Amino acid sequence: MASDPNLGFLTKRDTEVKLPRPTRVKNKTPATIQITAEQILREARERQEPEIRPPKQKITDVHELADYRLRKRKEFEDLIRRARWNAGAWVKYASWEESQGDFARARSVWERVLEVDYRNPTLWLKYAELEMRHRFVNHARNVWDRAVALLPRVDQLWYKYIHMEEMLGNVAGARQIFERWMDWHPDTQGWLSYIKFELRYNEVDRARAIYERFVADHPRPSSFIKYAKFEAKRGEISRARAIYERAVDLLSDDEDAEQLFVAFAEFEEWCKETERARCIYRFALDHVPKGRAEELYRKYVAFEKQYGDRKGIEDAIVSKRRFQYEEEVRKNPLNYDCWFDYIRLEESVGNKDMVREVYERAIANVPPAEEKRYWQRYIYLWINYALYEELDAQDMDRTSEVYRECLKLIPHKKFSFAKIWLMAAQFEIRQMNLKGARKILGNAIGMAPKDKIFKKYIEIELQLGNITRCRTLYQKYLEWAPANCYAWCKYAELERSLSETERARALFELAIAQPALDMPELLWKAYIDFEISEGEYERTRQLYERLLDRTKHLKVWISYAMFEASAGGEDEETDGEVLEKNDIHNEERQRKRIERSRGVFERAFDYFRTSAPELKEERAMLLEDWLNTESSFGSLGDVSLVQKKLPRKVKKRRPISSEDGTPAGFEEYIDYIFPDEVAMAPNLKIMEAAYKWKRQKLGADDD
């Protein structure tokens, strides 16, 4: 009733796969009789059923033999009819006919299969082996002749054919087969087999003639090396040397020439001709490309260590290092550090031509991008080249040419190198060519002006005493960099050294009138020091006032106050050379200086208290300097005036926040509480009272 229409009359219960219930072992104690794995395997082997083999047939009658042969032939024919291209079936068929002693039928089968696939060398080999096995020599020769005629590039057929003739003692026939084979220009092994064949029968002259044909057919270093070793083995040293020389003339540019040179040098070394071997190694190192001479260098170094003196060993090591540097610069020609090492190596050897060649090759690798960071290492190649030509080679014309070519190469519109300009100019000065040096520096200022160039040019002209040129250069310098405070100061210093006070003052006035300056504090300090050194104290005060109009920095106030504390009085300004000897008058002058200094400090304190109350630390520092100044005045100073204004340091905490704005805790900082702030803040009064109470309590505890 619960049958499924898709399952016919069966129910789902009938079609369910019923797995056996897993056996649960209740008694897990070990059995009394134990069995090993070996016993299990032995019992399984004994219980195997024997293999079913067909019964052996015993043929007792001629008719049964004929029936058996007919049946087998029919099976083979059916098999090859179904699979005509199956060479294995043909081979089995022919082998069976051979086993029956019917050689005519076996040959017929082999001929039929060769019509199907005559390009298969295995079929020819098996066919010929059949004839050879049963000593059908003429048949075998016929098969071999047909095989080598149809497949002349299969070396195994030739080897088997020659081997058969040699086994039969037909040396002339074997030689004739070799000659037929050589007409096809086989590979190296074929020629060497022919040579070994002749040597087996002591035909040395024939072997030598074959070697000549061999090296003509295969003009490779390995062929000549084998020929030369053949002659050397037989004591023909002159012949072997002639062969090597012939090979060098013919194959010195071959990619395997390194192998030839090494073999030639080892041959000369074997002949105790060390000088010849050394000449061969050096000739090879000059002609073989560096990338293919690694083995050659290694052999040369070993040779020099064995037979050479100290100089020879050093030359060999230099050659090896030269090869390493050549490899590195070949892989990366823009590796300037490697070029520097290579140049140092050549300079240590001392060959000027080689050094110049390496320098020329190095400077030919111009950086691909016109950016200064790529040129900073490259430019030192030119610098070292010029220094080498000047100091080591003593060739001044080439040195000048190197500097000239370097300056042409640098793209001065994008960047330049002041070092090159200055070195070229200094070289011309050393050659007593002052006009050439001025021309170079003038071109530098016109094409690529730099601070170093201006400074050095001015220094040169100043040493020569050309003041007019120095002034012109300073004017050009300031036209190019009007914000350069160093240039303004040096120009004014020059004028002051020439006692041109008004010109120096005018220069300072022009400088401070510039809208933008790189270090204005340096310029103002120089101007103030200049006026102080000239004894113009009133002008100095005016300068300080002008400076305070521009900036109210703490250092300016302190410097102004210190100046007033150390400057002379009004009478010293009118008659500065007269020294006052009256103590009363000296005291009056000291009081005036103190009053002026105190006035500056008070102005500064009022400014920080009223205009910049947030700068508490600067106000505290000002009071500290003021206190030190009053102390330095001795009895004339009033320390109490400053002490009542000193602040009190208080540690406070303030919240800090992280980068995302969330609170990150608190930090401590030092705050300054001034007496005037205490009077204004009632909370601070309470704190003052608390501090006072704490001090009293600590004092009582101490008592």
Side-chain angles (χ1 to χ4, degrees):
M1 292 177 64
S3 62
D4 190 347
N6 295 327
L7 301 176
F9 295 100
L10 299 174
T11 62
K12 289 185 178 181
R13 186 175 181 182
D14 296 334
T15 58
E16 285 179 356
V17 178
K18 296 181 180 179
L19 298 175
R21 182 179 297 173
T23 304
R24 287 194 294 177
V25 180
K26 296 182 179 179
N27 186 7
K28 295 184 180 181
T29 58
T32 55
I33 301 174
Q34 298 292 319
I35 187 168
T36 61
E38 181 183 359
Q39 188 175 354
I40 293 171
L41 293 174
R42 191 184 300 113
E43 289 180 0
R45 177 69 178 172
E46 290 173 355
R47 293 178 184 179
Q48 280 185 351
E49 295 181 356
E51 184 181 355
I52 299 174
R53 296 180 181 179
K56 291 183 180 180
Q57 284 184 327
K58 290 185 179 180
I59 299 173
T60 59
D61 193 353
V62 176
H63 299 289
E64 288 182 8
L65 177 61
D67 291 340
Y68 165 72
R69 287 177 175 175
L70 181 63
R71 186 171 64 254
K72 288 293 289 184
R73 286 184 182 124
K74 187 175 184 303
E75 289 175 3
F76 280 121
E77 291 291 342
D78 291 341
L79 180 61
I80 60 179
R81 191 182 301 114
R82 287 194 303 270
R84 181 179 175 82
W85 298 101
N86 187 358
W90 289 98
V91 171
K92 288 179 181 179
Y93 190 7
S95 300
W96 182 81
E97 292 290 359
E98 181 188 0
S99 67
Q100 297 301 312
D102 197 344
F103 299 111
R105 284 182 179 276
R107 289 191 189 99
S108 175
V109 173
W110 283 116
E111 294 294 337
R112 288 167 63 193
V113 69
L114 289 175
E115 289 179 1
V116 175
D117 186 12
Y118 73 92
R119 291 188 179 87
N120 191 345
T122 306
L123 298 177
W124 290 102
L125 290 171
K126 289 184 178 296
Y127 187 10
E129 285 173 0
L130 161 70
E131 302 291 0
M132 291 167 62
R133 195 162 44 243
H134 298 283
R135 299 183 182 279
F136 299 124
V137 176
N138 291 329
H139 283 286
R141 283 179 179 148
N142 185 21
V143 173
W144 287 125
D145 282 334
R146 290 165 58 198
V148 297
L150 292 172
L151 302 173
R153 295 298 178 189
V154 180
D155 295 344
Q156 191 176 9
L157 298 176
W158 292 101
Y159 286 129
K160 290 284 187 178
Y161 191 7
I162 293 165
H163 179 66
M164 184 192 77
E165 294 293 349
E166 197 172 357
M167 293 295 291
L168 293 172
N170 186 10
V171 178
R175 187 176 290 117
Q176 188 177 1
I177 296 167
F178 264 122
E179 289 295 335
R180 285 173 58 190
W181 188 15
M182 295 305 111
D183 291 339
W184 287 98
H185 303 285
D187 59 1
T188 303
Q189 195 58 42
W191 288 96
L192 295 178
S193 299
Y194 192 9
I195 292 166
K196 290 178 182 178
F197 166 77
E198 295 293 356
L199 291 176
R200 278 198 297 272
Y201 298 100
N202 294 323
E203 296 288 345
V204 178
D205 293 333
R206 285 181 179 274
R208 187 175 288 119
I210 296 167
Y211 261 121
E212 289 290 341
R213 292 164 59 191
F214 170 46
V215 296
D217 193 34
H218 295 277
R220 291 195 290 266
S222 58
S223 305
F224 281 97
I225 291 170
K226 287 182 174 65
Y227 188 12
K229 286 182 178 180
F230 161 76
E231 295 291 358
K233 188 176 181 181
R234 278 154 183 77
E236 299 287 344
I237 303 301
S238 58
R239 285 178 181 271
R241 186 174 289 122
I243 292 166
Y244 276 122
E245 290 172 356
R246 227 170 85 198
V248 169
D249 293 338
L250 186 64
L251 303 172
S252 59
D253 296 331
D254 192 86
E255 61 180 7
D256 295 328
E258 178 194 11
Q259 181 184 359
L260 175 63
F261 285 116
V262 169
F264 193 5
E266 287 178 347
F267 165 75
E268 295 292 354
E269 186 180 349
W270 177 70
C271 296
K272 309 298 182 183
E273 296 284 350
T274 54
E275 286 302 322
R276 282 177 175 269
R278 184 176 288 109
C279 292
I280 291 166
Y281 275 125
R282 290 178 179 174
F283 177 82
L285 291 174
D286 292 338
H287 288 78
V288 176
K290 302 298 185 293
R292 299 200 295 263
E294 186 174 357
E295 180 68 15
L296 186 64
Y297 276 110
R298 191 179 64 79
K299 292 282 187 181
Y300 181 39
V301 171
F303 170 80
E304 288 293 347
K305 287 180 179 179
Q306 186 174 359
Y307 298 103
D309 53 2
R310 180 177 178 180
K311 185 176 183 301
I313 295 172
E314 289 178 354
D315 290 342
I317 294 171
V318 166
S319 300
K320 186 175 182 181
R321 289 177 59 194
R322 186 181 290 125
F323 167 74
Q324 294 172 353
Y325 288 134
E326 285 288 346
E327 281 293 310
E328 291 181 11
V329 299
R330 182 180 59 83
K331 292 177 183 176
N332 183 11
L334 298 179
N335 185 0
Y336 299 121
D337 292 330
C338 184
W339 282 111
F340 285 125
D341 295 338
Y342 193 3
I343 289 165
R344 278 196 292 271
L345 173 67
E346 295 296 346
E347 287 180 352
S348 66
V349 175
N351 189 344
K352 291 183 181 179
D353 294 333
M354 284 296 296
V355 174
R356 284 171 177 159
E357 180 187 350
V358 177
Y359 266 121
E360 292 293 338
R361 288 171 57 197
I363 62 178
N365 296 294
V366 183
E370 291 186 351
E371 296 183 22
K372 190 167 184 176
R373 58 194 178 100
Y374 296 120
W375 287 63
Q376 285 174 342
R377 290 292 292 163
Y378 170 72
I379 207 67
Y380 276 94
L381 288 172
W382 287 95
I383 293 172
N384 291 352
Y385 191 10
L387 292 176
Y388 171 77
E389 291 291 351
E390 182 183 0
L391 302 177
D392 295 345
Q394 302 288 328
D395 192 340
M396 304 308 163
D397 294 334
R398 286 184 67 91
T399 306
S400 179
E401 185 180 353
V402 169
Y403 279 123
R404 189 163 52 250
E405 292 299 323
C406 179
L407 291 173
K408 279 185 187 177
L409 183 65
I410 298 172
H412 298 290
K413 291 184 179 179
K414 294 188 177 180
F415 59 85
S416 186
F417 294 94
K419 191 177 187 68
I420 289 291
W421 291 105
L422 295 177
M423 289 185 69
Q426 288 169 348
F427 167 73
E428 295 295 340
I429 292 172
R430 286 194 294 273
Q431 303 306 311
M432 302 300 177
N433 186 7
L434 189 58
K435 184 178 179 181
R438 283 175 175 158
K439 184 178 179 181
I440 290 171
L441 292 172
N443 289 335
I445 290 172
M447 297 172 65
K450 286 180 173 289
D451 288 331
K452 288 183 180 179
I453 297 173
F454 277 111
K455 291 175 185 177
K456 194 65 180 178
Y457 196 3
I458 291 168
E459 180 185 345
I460 292 171
E461 294 294 349
L462 192 59
Q463 289 175 352
L464 296 172
N466 294 323
I467 304 302
T468 306
R469 284 183 179 272
C470 290
R471 285 173 175 161
T472 306
L473 288 172
Y474 269 122
Q475 290 172 9
K476 295 288 184 182
Y477 193 2
L478 293 172
E479 287 176 7
W480 173 68
N484 192 333
C485 293
Y486 174 84
W488 287 105
C489 294
K490 286 294 180 181
Y491 193 6
E493 185 180 339
L494 171 66
E495 295 295 350
R496 183 189 170 195
S497 65
L498 298 172
S499 300
E500 294 286 351
T501 307
E502 293 301 324
R503 290 177 68 94
R505 186 174 288 120
L507 284 171
F508 276 123
E509 289 294 335
L510 281 174
I512 62 176
Q514 296 298 318
L517 294 170
D518 55 358
M519 289 188 295
E521 66 278 3
L522 179 66
L523 181 65
W524 281 95
K525 185 178 184 305
Y527 193 5
I528 289 169
D529 291 343
F530 165 73
E531 294 293 358
I532 292 173
S533 64
E534 293 295 325
E536 298 289 345
Y537 298 115
E538 191 58 37
R539 286 181 180 273
T540 307
R541 291 189 185 96
Q542 293 174 5
L543 278 177
Y544 271 118
E545 294 295 336
R546 290 165 64 185
L547 180 57
L548 287 172
D549 291 340
R550 298 194 179 191
T551 178
K552 296 290 195 301
H553 197 274
L554 173 65
K555 289 185 178 180
V556 178
W557 288 108
I558 294 174
S559 177
Y560 190 9
M562 293 301 169
F563 160 72
E564 291 292 359
S566 61
E570 295 296 332
D571 52 351
E572 192 179 46
E573 292 176 10
T574 57
D575 191 9
E577 295 181 358
V578 179
L579 298 176
E580 295 292 340
K581 297 182 180 179
N582 194 337
D583 294 338
I584 299 174
H585 192 60
N586 287 338
E587 187 176 347
E588 290 177 359
R589 289 178 55 233
Q590 183 71 8
R591 288 182 185 280
K592 287 182 180 179
R593 288 199 296 270
I594 293 171
E595 288 175 2
R596 289 197 187 99
S597 176
R598 192 175 292 150
V600 174
F601 275 121
E602 288 176 352
R603 285 173 58 193
F605 182 75
D606 291 341
Y607 166 74
F608 284 113
R609 183 171 57 83
T610 58
S611 301
E614 70 279 0
L615 302 176
K616 292 185 176 182
E617 189 172 358
E618 282 78 358
R619 202 189 330 173
M621 292 170 65
L622 176 70
L623 289 172
E624 185 177 351
D625 283 319
W626 189 1
L627 181 62
N628 294 334
T629 306
E630 292 288 348
S631 301
S632 65
F633 289 149
S635 60
L636 298 178
D638 189 359
V639 179
S640 61
L641 181 64
V642 185
Q643 286 180 341
K644 63 183 180 182
K645 296 181 180 182
L646 289 174
R648 187 178 67 253
K649 291 183 181 180
V650 179
K651 277 189 180 180
K652 290 187 177 181
R653 298 173 66 197
R654 57 188 171 195
I656 56 174
S657 58
S658 58
E659 294 180 356
D660 54 359
T662 58
F666 294 87
E667 67 172 357
E668 289 187 350
Y669 69 99
I670 301 296
D671 194 12
Y672 295 93
I673 299 175
F674 291 89
D676 52 355
E677 293 177 351
V678 174
M680 295 173 61
N683 292 334
L684 293 177
K685 285 186 177 181
I686 296 172
M687 289 184 64
E688 179 68 25
Y691 276 116
K692 186 176 180 182
W693 173 79
K694 188 174 182 181
R695 284 198 297 270
Q696 290 176 355
K697 185 177 181 182
L698 289 173
D701 292 342
D702 292 340
D703 294 339

